Amino acid sequence: MEFFASPDQPDPQFESFLEDACKELSNWFATTNSRAPLPLVKKLPNAFPGKEGLPCSKLLADVRLLMEGSYQPSHPGALAHLDPPPITASIVGELIAAGLNNNLLAEELSPSVTKIERTLCKWFTKKLGMPETGGGVTASGGSLANLMALLVARSKANLQCNQKAFVLVSSEAHVSISRAISVMGLPPDAVCNIPTDHNGCLSLPLLKEEYINQKSQDKTCFAVIATAGTTIRGAIDPLCEISDFCKQEGLWFHIDAAIGGVFALSSSTSKFVDGISMANSVVVNPQKILGISKTSSLLLVSQIDDLYNCFSTGFPYIEPSSGKDFQGGEIGLQGTRSAEILKLWLGLRQLGQDGIRLLLEESIMRRQYFYEKLDSHKFNIISGPFHLIAFSPKYIDSAEAKMWSIATKERLLKSNFMLSRPTYKTTWFLKAVMGNPHTKFSHLDFLADAINKSI
Ligand SMILES: *Cc1c(COP(=O)(O)O)cnc(C)c1O
């Protein structure tokens, strides 16, 4: 068996391996409904290489075994997390990216793909309403993108070595914020968690109060972080008001829009994230709702120079880029990066503006439909304008809610519906994410009925 595709002629072995792999994948999709969203892992293939290499047929048999134990995002009952099924063009983008094996570190290792990445990031900043000076870079996930944004904010404020530097953020922000602060060598109390209101949104008066309180202790703020779409209920912090506050105080305004950012791409949903244009930095995760296969995350900034000034170290061993644009490896933390932008580029091109709008609107419609079906006399339902919804029985204590959440989740799994079980403000919830296009209203009828009968 040849390990590398022939550089001289069409390679029948290469083609048939890819075709057979494609058939396996297609068959996995086609048999989705005969499996559960979360299958039991009965048998695993060998993890390590034997002395002799294996032929394609054996490799694919192992892949089949692996697939049997894989989480199935395209199952209509897969509603637990922000992990939708991938759209076809993004799968092709992943395959081509692997084949090209270009490196976004530098233009000489990825001449065309680097340009696509720059142009597409620019397009995103434009859609978000950010200034002409803006741009961005892909990152392997929103956690890394958030870390990079905070590094840039801190370096802009010249507080790299200052242990009294802090950020202001909602108490419902994603865990990646406190992790980033810890990676940055700051003490835990450098994250000032601002309480949220009854809608799960950061409270502006309390933000201002805490800012003054921290300053009175000789501390210096280097960023205010708003969340556009919290992970449990999809709440959106008051972006315009926070932006005004940041302008007034001369503070960096970062928006973690890992969930909400893509809603800015469609004119029918962009109103939800009004104010996003005012951010100094924004994190957007197309992997979370648009069906771009993992990972697909972007860090967008209002001044591309800020990324360069924070991360560039010089590249003694790399040719400079052709124009005035920065090398990929000089505007982020990562060195070698895959051509993952291809998934996003091809995926968005396949969807078109109409497809993007449809995915977003239908996700919201499913959430609205489900909301209406849930018995609001029995449940405390929390949900913002996006496609996330969580609920917990009224009139029971936290211990009872925990038991209810475990028992109900298990019962639903037996009917092939997978929800998640977050804790939120001292009690237990079940959460559904309606980003799965295979979930029909009939599924939601069944699901709501089962939940309404659970208590
Ligand atoms: C998922 C998420 C992140 C982290 O993104 P990863 O790609 O999982 O690292 C950050 N912020 C919010 C609001 C998220 O929902």
Side-chain angles (χ1 to χ4, degrees):
M1 182 206 168
E2 282 299 331
F3 301 127
F4 299 93
S6 163
D8 303 317
Q9 60 203 0
D11 186 328
Q13 264 191 353
F14 172 77
E15 285 177 16
S16 72
F17 192 9
L18 255 54
E19 272 166 23
D20 291 348
C22 177
K23 287 205 184 94
E24 288 297 340
L25 196 56
S26 172
N27 192 46
W28 183 67
F29 282 121
T31 51
T32 297
N33 287 332
S34 67
R35 279 185 297 272
L38 188 63
L40 285 174
V41 180
K42 292 188 199 120
K43 193 164 183 266
L44 274 178
N46 245 332
F48 43 83
K51 183 178 173 303
E52 280 170 23
L54 295 176
C56 304
S57 59
K58 282 254 166 54
L59 294 176
L60 290 176
D62 279 359
V63 165
R64 211 173 304 138
L65 208 52
L66 196 80
M67 284 172 163
E68 286 302 323
S70 293
Y71 167 66
Q72 187 102 26
S74 38
H75 194 289
L79 300 169
H81 298 286
L82 291 139
D83 288 73
I87 59 173
T88 311
S90 95
I91 302 173
V92 173
E94 182 93 67
L95 176 69
I96 302 294
L100 296 182
N101 205 21
N102 275 211
N103 188 342
L104 275 285
L105 175 74
E107 219 176 274
E108 66 177 333
L109 294 167
S110 54
S112 56
V113 187
T114 287
K115 291 197 165 85
I116 288 284
E117 177 171 288
R118 281 183 198 137
T119 313
L120 194 53
C121 285
K122 266 269 192 207
W123 179 82
F124 265 89
T125 54
K126 215 169 160 176
K127 292 297 275 185
L128 266 54
M130 296 168 84
E132 279 292 315
T133 48
V137 66
T138 66
S140 296
S143 302
L144 182 58
N146 272 332
L147 170 63
M148 284 170 17
L150 295 182
L151 285 167
V152 175
R154 183 170 69 171
S155 97
K156 276 292 269 193
N158 265 321
L159 293 170
Q160 287 92 324
C161 301
N162 190 320
Q163 285 296 302
K164 292 191 136 190
F166 71 96
V167 295
L168 294 157
V169 63
S170 133
S171 57
E172 296 187 31
H174 191 259
V175 292
S176 58
I177 300 295
S178 57
R179 201 182 297 156
I181 292 297
S182 132
V183 170
M184 290 164 76
L186 291 170
D189 67 3
V191 182
C192 298
N193 287 124
I194 312 299
T196 52
D197 63 17
H198 64 285
N199 289 318
C201 308
L202 179 148
S203 154
L204 198 68
L206 296 180
L207 173 86
K208 292 179 175 171
E209 208 172 280
E210 183 62 17
Y211 178 64
I212 292 168
N213 172 32
Q214 292 287 328
K215 282 222 307 186
S216 73
Q217 300 169 43
D218 263 350
K219 294 188 175 174
T220 315
C221 181
F222 66 91
V224 180
I225 302 155
T227 309
T230 55
T231 312
I232 293 177
R233 59 186 294 180
I236 308 161
D237 290 338
L239 305 180
C240 293
E241 289 85 346
I242 297 175
S243 157
D244 288 345
F245 171 72
C246 288
K247 276 222 180 81
Q248 188 188 315
E249 300 295 332
L251 296 169
W252 185 275
F253 181 29
H254 174 62
I255 304 183
D256 179 357
I259 295 173
V262 292
F263 287 88
L265 299 182
S266 163
S267 56
S268 62
T269 50
S270 61
K271 58 182 180 288
F272 298 137
V273 289
D274 199 21
I276 202 167
S277 62
M278 313 299 282
N280 296 101
S281 54
V282 181
V283 167
V284 180
N285 267 18
Q287 71 194 21
K288 283 200 164 162
I289 167 160
L290 290 181
I292 309 301
S293 61
K294 288 177 260 299
T295 53
S296 180
S297 179
L298 302 173
L299 169 60
L300 306 167
V301 288
S302 61
Q303 308 265 353
I304 189 78
D305 292 11
D306 289 342
L307 291 182
Y308 180 81
N309 292 336
C310 177
F311 295 112
S312 94
T313 48
F315 263 157
Y317 45 86
I318 297 263
E319 290 294 332
S321 60
S322 56
K324 290 194 299 297
D325 294 304
F326 304 124
Q327 300 279 31
E330 297 219 270
I331 52 173
L333 260 187
Q334 288 174 268
T336 293
R337 273 182 311 122
S338 80
E340 71 169 60
I341 194 73
L342 291 190
K343 297 178 289 189
L344 182 59
W345 165 66
L346 269 192
L348 293 182
R349 300 268 298 161
Q350 183 182 35
L351 287 170
Q353 304 262 6
D354 289 345
I356 294 170
R357 181 172 50 79
L358 207 67
L359 279 186
L360 299 174
E361 286 178 359
E362 288 187 349
S363 300
I364 293 174
M365 256 159 55
R366 282 189 292 274
R367 191 265 304 151
Q368 280 169 334
Y369 183 86
F370 184 62
Y371 188 104
E372 302 290 323
K373 294 272 160 181
L374 280 183
D375 187 341
S376 60
H377 297 295
K378 288 185 176 172
F379 295 99
N380 174 24
I381 308 170
I382 54 172
S383 181
F386 296 145
H387 60 306
L388 298 94
I389 180 166
F391 46 92
S392 179
K394 289 176 172 170
Y395 319 118
I396 63 174
D397 67 23
S398 165
E400 289 167 324
K402 181 175 181 182
M403 271 157 50
W404 164 84
S405 70
I406 292 172
T408 309
K409 181 176 173 175
E410 251 170 46
R411 201 166 329 117
L412 291 175
L413 270 176
K414 289 197 180 116
S415 313
N416 285 342
F417 284 97
M418 181 180 168
L419 304 193
S420 55
R421 209 166 58 80
T423 50
Y424 179 76
K425 295 198 174 171
T426 75
T427 193
W428 295 77
F429 280 73
L430 285 178
K431 168 180 143 187
V433 182
M434 296 295 176
N436 185 341
H438 302 301
T439 313
K440 304 295 171 218
F441 286 158
S442 56
H443 295 115
L444 297 178
D445 288 338
F446 180 93
L447 182 62
D449 192 51
I451 290 163
N452 287 336
K453 287 181 182 145
S454 70
I455 190 112

